[in-house]
Amino acid sequence: MKGLVYRGPGKKALEEVPDPRIEQPTDAVVKILRTTICGSDLHILKGDVPTVKPGTVLGHEGVGVIEEVGPAVSAFRKGDHVLISCISSCGRCDYCKRGMYSHCSVAGWMLGNTIHGTQAEYVRIPFADTSLHRIPDGMDEEALVMLSDILPTGFECGVLNGKVQPGSTVAIVGAGPVGLAALLTAQFYSPAEIIMIDLDDNRLEVALTFGATQTVNSGRDNAVEQVMALTGGIGVDTAIEAVGIPATFVLCQDIVAPGGTIANVGVHGTKADLHLERLWAHNITLTTRLVDTVTTPMLLKTVQAKKLDPRKLITHRFALADILEAYETFEKAAQTKALKVIIG
């Protein structure tokens, strides 16, 4: 089969790779119908994720059809249409019992990281019973690709960890797909203000159509001064960092109000400064998290009920044969106006 293979920092290729097979009784093999590219894949290609070894098929998102199941799989059978969780979980270890699937003692973020991922024709899914979700009949499967990772990531790591509350003020630093996913799901809690901060005017315009109340272009304006002006000099109750670079992490520290929360979502590959010389008496909370996907069933219901529309995030579509073009489009989002690209 064909798969997009990581060949070291800055190197990738669409190659012929062995078909996956059942290796453990709890495995399933899924034929990929639709997948996508994540910002985490770009961090891998920058060399920020050393657990990914050259030769690994990238990708951790997608929907597909069950091709084969191991003898211990009881919740699925051949032919079932499924949503693939970006996090694999055994469902039995202490971390899984606490809902911390990303820290599963035998699984966690495996796909496109420590084992071959979803940017291929087929993928092996460990612990299939607890790492797949059945797709209800009639749902838009292309849109559901957004539920593999970015929507639960934005919601769990940004909105829930950020303690977004009715009437609160929220700043989301980074209007990429995950930041926009946080914007969409923050509105579950009716904050009074959602300020989107980014360098890209197109993405800021998109954010306004998604429900942002204010936007700040941090490349053109002094973002700290702008946010302070918008909040009466107080700062925001929740600052969500959705980029993953030192400058945006510091920006969140500069705009958080006393008693507020900084929720880090971005993947950080280099050291970032925490200014405790200023914040030690500020009563703030700082949270970090890798998505656990515990909210995926709830998000699936909100999409089914038409309370959440993930299709808004899709801007481009490619065949697997054109995945290198898809990467170029995604990497050059400022020029292409790409948000999420669908491959399949």
Side-chain angles (χ1 to χ4, degrees), residues 173-174 197 199 218-219 223-224 239-255 262 264 267-275 278:
V173 183
I197 303 171
L199 299 168
S218 54
V224 176
I240 297 174
E241 198 289 325
V243 181
I245 61 173
T248 51
F249 182 60
V250 171
L251 174 57
C252 287
Q253 297 172 56
D254 291 339
I255 62 175
I262 299 172
N264 185 83
V267 178
H268 288 268
T270 59
K271 181 181 75 67
D273 291 331
L274 174 61
H275 288 285
R278 288 191 286 108

Side-chain angles (χ1 to χ4, degrees), residues 145-211:
V145 175
M146 306 300 107
L147 268 67
S148 282
D149 184 353
I150 64 166
L151 277 165
T153 295
F155 184 53
E156 294 175 14
C157 306
V159 177
L160 294 184
N161 268 19
K163 303 179 179 68
V164 175
Q165 299 291 330
S168 63
T169 55
V170 179
I172 302 173
V173 183
V178 171
L180 292 172
L183 166 61
L184 289 173
T185 54
Q187 293 169 73
F188 291 165
Y189 295 95
S190 301
E193 295 280 353
I194 306 178
I195 305 165
M196 293 295 295
I197 303 171
D198 201 277
L199 299 168
D200 187 327
D201 280 330
N202 173 66
R203 287 189 166 183
L204 292 174
E205 290 173 12
V206 169
L208 287 172
T209 69
F210 281 18

